[in-house]
Amino acid sequence: MAQETVKTVAQSETPADVAVVSQVPEAEKVETCAKEAVIAEPEKVAASISFKEETNVVGELPNPQKKALDELRLLVQEALNKHEFSAPPASSQKVANEEQKTVSAVEGDAQPCEIPPVPAKTEYKKEEKDAPPTPAPESEPVEKEVTEVVVKTESESCIDEDGAKKIEAIQETIVKTEQTQPPPTPCAAEVTPALPEEVSIWGIPLLADERSDVILLKFLRARDFKVKEAFTMLKNVVAWRKEFNIESLLEEDLGTEQEKVVYMHGVDKEGHPVCYNAFGEYQNKELYQETFSDDEKRKKFIRWRIQFLERSIRKLDFSPDGISTIVQINDLKYSPAPFKKELRLVFQLLQDNYPEFVAKQVFINVPWWYLAFYKMINPFFTQRTKSKFVFAGPSKTTETLFKYISPELVPVQYGGLSREGEQEFTTSDCIIEDFIKPSCEHAIELPATEACTLVWEARVVGIGCDVSYGAEFVPSAEDGYTVIVQKSRKVTGDESVICGRFKCGETGKVVLTFFNQSSKKKKVLYRFKKVAFE
């Protein structure tokens, strides 16, 4: 199965992705010798050079890239003028040409078959010169040509008694007469040049404004600025989109069964939309059967995945300074190794037809076997592609996501505070990060400067966190009484979010107390706000 996947990657060297990616995080420690052998050379995986997402402003491009863009524009304009994007595939055109040649050959071979009646006609004229003329046949121009040949042949036929050369002369003269005839004058409609065809892709014309340059740059980058290869890729994508009928696909209702597997959620710190791919969901046999059990369901899944991506792309800003890429988060927890065949086919389809649409490819909950798989296919990727990959094992998943996405936008199942349903906080409510030292107690104070209702939420980041949590209200007045809001209890990193609320009848503060019982430093995320006094 791994060999088959390597072959797939080799055929499409440039996946649909772009841009900023840091070095590959260190993999988790493993116990067996086999696992240690796989991760023994992490520097090779991390050797790719990180770079910022490349600019789409033409004026900021290096001169060789500007030249390549100009050349691609010319090729596209020429193709639009010649209607090459709407022309039939090369194979169909070849068949049509062969058919035309066959028809011409048949018509050419048919001409000598009309010659045998001619000698009889000639003899009739010699013996009965006073006879009334023969009625003209239906095709008058042909009779005129044959008559002229007969007259010319009569002067030459006296030399030959058996008449063999006479027939030869007739045949040759007919051919010569036909070749000397002027071609028919084309009608006015044929003379008038056709207008260039209009071709759009992802809702943007190929040659229109600055947004068109952003699209063309994607194809150039996908082919390392090799203009002819980029142009060929562009033509193939346009042809595929017509064949797949993308425009009508956008309006189809394909259900919502796959929304737990692939979904958009928030943006990263640079404003790129974030797409999550939870492939482990296919461990659910019912969902897998519903998706891949027969050809019809597999085709529906492919159409749904393309529809999902198309709708997401239509929301991007293709202006030179806009956001025209997304971030892919690939959760490999419980994922089949190294992905099921059906998923690999989808990946190949996306790579071939959606160039440079991903800013980062972040792989989380990466098992040890995936690093072995990546090490095997690594030589088939370009430097640009390798520099976009980020890998994180289970213990580093949350920390890695926080490098690129704010904690308030990271889904709760990945260590963040974003969750569905009604809640007190929104993405505009900032999160504060704090640390709890090993084997220490740490207090976080939430001030209540007036009578109000104070609400808060907190989360300890990490797996297997042995941390205790408690909360109490301490009034500002010296003679006031401390109120226990939450008795101390143990929490773990797997607990989603700690939520609290307290009605403060006087000024004071709510104190959240965390006790870290482990030998490692822990991170705690929290936020709070005041709401109207209830």
Side-chain angles (χ1 to χ4, degrees), residues 96-380:
N97 292 339
E98 292 296 333
E99 291 178 352
Q100 183 63 34
K101 290 180 180 179
T102 304
V103 172
S104 301
V106 171
E107 291 176 351
D109 293 341
Q111 291 176 1
C113 297
E114 299 175 359
I115 295 175
V118 175
K121 190 174 183 180
T122 305
E123 293 296 329
Y124 178 79
K125 284 189 175 183
K126 284 184 179 181
E127 297 175 1
E128 301 180 32
K129 294 182 180 179
D130 297 334
T134 307
E138 294 181 2
S139 180
E140 185 176 349
V142 175
E143 185 203 359
K144 289 181 179 180
E145 292 177 6
V146 174
T147 304
E148 292 175 2
V149 172
V150 171
V151 172
K152 183 178 180 181
T153 306
E154 286 178 348
S155 62
E156 298 174 353
S157 61
C158 300
I159 303 173
D160 193 354
E161 297 178 357
D162 57 7
K165 291 184 179 179
K166 177 179 178 182
I167 297 176
E168 255 182 42
I170 294 173
Q171 293 176 352
E172 292 176 1
T173 308
I174 289 174
V175 174
K176 184 176 180 181
T177 305
E178 289 176 352
Q179 290 177 350
T180 56
Q181 286 181 346
T185 304
C187 61
E190 294 176 351
V191 175
T192 304
L195 296 175
E197 63 178 328
E198 297 181 0
V199 178
S200 295
I201 186 169
W202 300 299
I204 298 173
L206 288 184
L207 291 179
D209 49 32
E210 294 177 329
R211 298 178 305 158
S212 304
D213 290 339
V214 175
I215 295 294
L216 296 182
L217 282 171
K218 289 183 180 295
F219 286 90
L220 286 169
R221 287 173 178 140
R223 291 297 179 261
D224 289 330
F225 285 89
K226 297 174 182 176
V227 179
K228 291 184 179 180
E229 293 183 14
F231 178 64
T232 299
M233 183 184 187
L234 174 60
K235 291 182 68 176
N236 291 339
V237 170
V238 172
W240 173 81
R241 293 176 66 82
K242 289 181 179 180
E243 180 182 355
F244 210 81
N245 204 358
I246 293 293
E247 297 305 320
S248 63
L249 175 64
L250 290 169
E251 307 301 326
E252 290 185 28
D253 182 7
L254 299 174
T256 59
E257 298 86 359
Q258 305 298 325
E259 289 183 355
K260 63 177 70 175
V261 181
V262 183
Y263 56 92
M264 305 296 294
H265 190 93
V267 296
D268 73 346
K269 292 180 179 179
E270 297 179 355
H272 300 96
V274 181
C275 177
Y276 289 84
N277 301 273
F279 302 121
E281 292 290 338
Y282 289 125
Q283 291 294 102
N284 183 326
K285 293 182 179 180
E286 183 177 349
L287 178 60
Y288 181 81
Q289 291 295 324
E290 183 64 29
T291 307
F292 302 117
S293 59
D294 56 50
D295 287 341
E296 184 177 351
K297 291 178 179 179
R298 285 192 290 269
K299 289 179 181 178
K300 180 181 178 182
F301 166 73
I302 292 175
R303 293 185 67 79
W304 179 88
R305 188 62 181 89
I306 297 300
Q307 182 193 69
F308 177 87
L309 182 57
E310 283 287 331
R311 289 177 175 177
S312 301
I313 288 176
R314 298 300 174 106
K315 298 177 182 178
L316 296 175
D317 179 7
F318 284 96
S319 61
D321 293 321
I323 300 296
S324 61
T325 53
I326 63 178
V327 171
Q328 289 274 11
I329 307 296
N330 305 290
D331 183 7
L332 302 184
K333 188 176 183 179
Y334 305 128
S335 176
F339 302 126
K340 293 186 180 293
K341 179 180 178 181
E342 295 83 359
L343 293 178
R344 296 202 308 272
L345 293 176
V346 173
F347 297 154
Q348 186 68 45
L349 195 62
L350 299 183
Q351 290 171 3
D352 291 342
N353 298 285
Y354 295 90
E356 301 296 311
F357 268 104
V358 178
K360 286 181 285 290
Q361 284 278 14
V362 183
F363 297 85
I364 59 175
N365 291 315
V366 178
W368 68 268
W369 58 259
Y370 192 84
L371 293 179
F373 171 67
Y374 175 77
K375 185 176 180 180
M376 181 173 58
I377 65 176
N378 184 55
F380 296 96

Side-chain angles (χ1 to χ4, degrees), residues 410-477:
V410 174
V412 67
Q413 63 267 32
Y414 297 124
L417 294 175
S418 179
R419 58 195 188 277
E420 297 180 356
E422 295 183 4
Q423 52 184 303
E424 296 287 350
F425 297 91
T426 65
T427 56
S428 60
D429 297 315
C430 295
I431 289 178
I432 304 171
E433 295 185 5
D434 210 341
F435 292 93
I436 312 172
K437 295 180 180 180
S439 303
C440 290
E441 187 175 84
H442 184 76
I444 297 175
E445 297 183 355
L446 312 178
T449 56
E450 58 184 355
C452 64
T453 297
L454 200 64
V455 295
W456 65 90
E457 62 181 16
R459 180 166 193 175
V460 180
V461 178
I463 296 178
C465 298
D466 296 324
V467 178
S468 297
Y469 156 77
E472 59 184 12
F473 173 73
V474 180
S476 300

